Amino acid sequence: MENYWILKLENGAELEVRGAADLGLKRGDKCVFRRDFFEDIGTVCRQIETPENTAGDLPQVLRTAGEPELAEAAENAVKARNAMVTVNEWIDKLHLEMSTVNGHYSLDRKLLTVQFCADGRVDFRELVKELARALAVRIELRQIGVRDETGIFGGIAVCGQVLCCSRFLKEFSSINVKMAKEQDLMLTPATISGVCGRLKCCLKYEHEGYLELEKDMPRKGEFCETPAGRGRITDRNLLTRKVYVMFESGNITAFPVEEVKVVPHEKRRDNNGNGQNNDGERKNRPGDGQRNNGGNGKKRKNGGEK
């Protein structure tokens, strides 16, 4: 009987593997697996029931990692950092628009995987040839996004928590500014951008929750009745369920949404009897938009009477 696990490599990449159930692997264990033509070492993240990758054979776990394998992996990490110096030198020589993130040697040093970021597609065929000749190893270049790069290095977000991309997010969904608007956030880069410089991932996976909270909340600009009188809604907090109301005096007071009742936009009349809405805008009356002459209400004709 075989079990399936998710392993995390030293360079932050994750992959699905299979192995005998009697290995007894659990979260945090180091194990050696074989993939294609090379062997590598990884850390168990979690066990899964069914693998998502069913296109081909999964890498096979051979054994748990012992002291010799751990020492070899530590030595490979040093060699990989030295190899990255050569990689960056050749990138400069070939004038390629790319920035390297990290390098990773397989356990048997048959493969060097280099992860990099770039704004667009990069033709790195010449780079692979030169690196294979200079380092005498098979080279694999893998382009990743800035969100993946941030997830590899990790950090602390403005909320005080470890970055979502390095803690639990496995896939990065499409995010747009409309999501921030519907969550009543200020549309400033400091508010809606994450450490990576892109829109915050939480704008996406919290979006449905905010839409649910917004259903019974009044909108900004609406008039309402409160225990303190009638006013106009200037702001609201979807999480605390509070509404901020401005009164005619200019004072702003917060009320629970249950104490606020939205009223229709009623018309009123000014002291001169002219129709106004609550914004103080004058109603159009008959005769507005035409020029009066001497108060007789007639239009002035070209070359006509004065």
Side-chain angles (χ1 to χ4, degrees):
M1 180 179 177
E2 287 189 328
N3 287 342
Y4 303 98
W5 298 275
I6 299 292
L7 297 188
K8 188 171 186 178
L9 305 185
E10 182 263 341
N11 63 352
E14 292 187 353
L15 75 159
E16 298 173 341
V17 298
R18 61 187 175 89
D22 57 9
L23 286 172
L25 295 178
K26 58 184 183 298
R27 184 177 179 180
D29 288 348
K30 304 276 188 181
C31 63
V32 178
F33 64 92
R34 183 167 187 82
R35 183 183 186 185
D36 298 331
F37 62 93
F38 64 91
E39 291 184 4
D40 208 346
I41 187 171
T43 304
V44 177
C45 293
R46 61 189 180 278
Q47 184 175 345
I48 57 177
E49 295 295 331
T50 306
E52 295 182 4
N53 182 19
T54 57
D57 292 336
L58 294 177
Q60 176 74 43
V61 175
L62 303 178
R63 60 189 180 278
T64 57
E67 288 299 327
E69 287 87 1
L70 296 177
E72 190 72 17
E75 183 180 348
N76 288 345
V78 175
K79 290 182 178 295
R81 287 192 291 269
N82 295 333
M84 292 305 294
V85 175
T86 303
V87 173
N88 289 320
E89 288 177 351
W90 275 106
I91 289 175
D92 293 338
K93 288 180 182 179
L94 297 174
H95 306 290
L96 297 176
E97 296 296 329
M98 55 190 291
S99 60
T100 56
V101 177
N102 56 37
H104 171 73
Y105 271 113
S106 61
L107 185 63
D108 51 16
R109 286 200 289 273
K110 291 182 178 180
L111 176 71
L112 173 63
T113 303
V114 177
Q115 297 188 130
F116 70 94
C117 289
D119 292 333
R121 294 176 62 93
V122 179
D123 185 359
F124 49 71
R125 288 174 293 182
E126 188 64 26
L127 176 62
V128 172
K129 293 178 183 178
E130 297 297 341
L131 292 179
R133 185 181 300 112
L135 299 174
V137 67
R138 183 166 178 175
I139 304 294
E140 179 181 311
L141 290 177
R142 184 178 301 164
Q143 184 172 356
I144 62 175
V146 290
R147 284 193 171 101
D148 299 287
E149 179 184 9
T150 305
I152 291 172
F153 290 109
I156 303 297
V158 294
C159 61
Q161 299 288 327
V162 176
L163 293 175
C164 299
C165 54
S166 61
R167 185 156 46 106
F168 66 89
L169 276 184
K170 305 305 175 187
E171 296 181 358
F172 300 106
S173 304
S174 176
I175 308 170
N176 54 60
V177 178
K178 181 183 177 182
M179 296 176 181
K181 292 181 179 179
E182 293 175 340
Q183 296 176 33
D184 287 350
L185 295 175
M186 294 180 62
L187 302 183
T188 58
T191 303
I192 63 177
S193 298
V195 175
C196 61
R198 300 292 193 269
L199 292 174
K200 291 180 178 177
C201 295
C202 56
L203 293 178
K204 172 64 177 179
Y205 63 77
E206 292 180 353
H207 185 230
E208 292 185 5
Y210 273 95
L211 292 180
E212 191 67 27
L213 292 173
E214 199 266 346
K215 286 183 178 179
D216 58 348
M217 291 286 285
R219 298 183 179 276
K220 296 179 184 179
E222 291 184 321
F223 290 87
C224 62
E225 291 284 357
T226 71
R230 176 171 294 191
R232 191 171 189 175
I233 298 172
T234 60
D235 202 357
R236 60 185 186 171
N237 191 313
L238 299 178
L239 296 178
T240 61
R241 313 291 291 165
K242 287 189 176 181
V243 176
Y244 296 83
V245 180
M246 175 182 286
F247 301 100
E248 290 188 359
S249 62
N251 294 330
I252 298 177
T253 306
F255 297 93
V257 67
E258 294 79 13
E259 297 181 3
V260 175
K261 181 180 180 181
V262 175
V263 296
H265 193 91
E266 299 177 351
K267 300 278 183 77
R268 67 183 183 186
R269 303 188 69 82
D270 61 16
N271 295 334
N272 297 324
N274 298 324
Q276 288 184 320
N277 58 23
N278 283 331
D279 292 329
E281 296 175 350
R282 183 179 178 181
K283 289 177 60 180
N284 291 333
R285 296 177 298 161
D288 285 354
Q290 68 182 27
R291 185 173 180 180
N292 294 334
N293 300 297
N296 57 11
K298 296 181 180 179
K299 288 186 178 178
R300 183 176 181 179
K301 299 180 181 179
N302 293 333
E305 57 183 340
K306 296 184 179 179

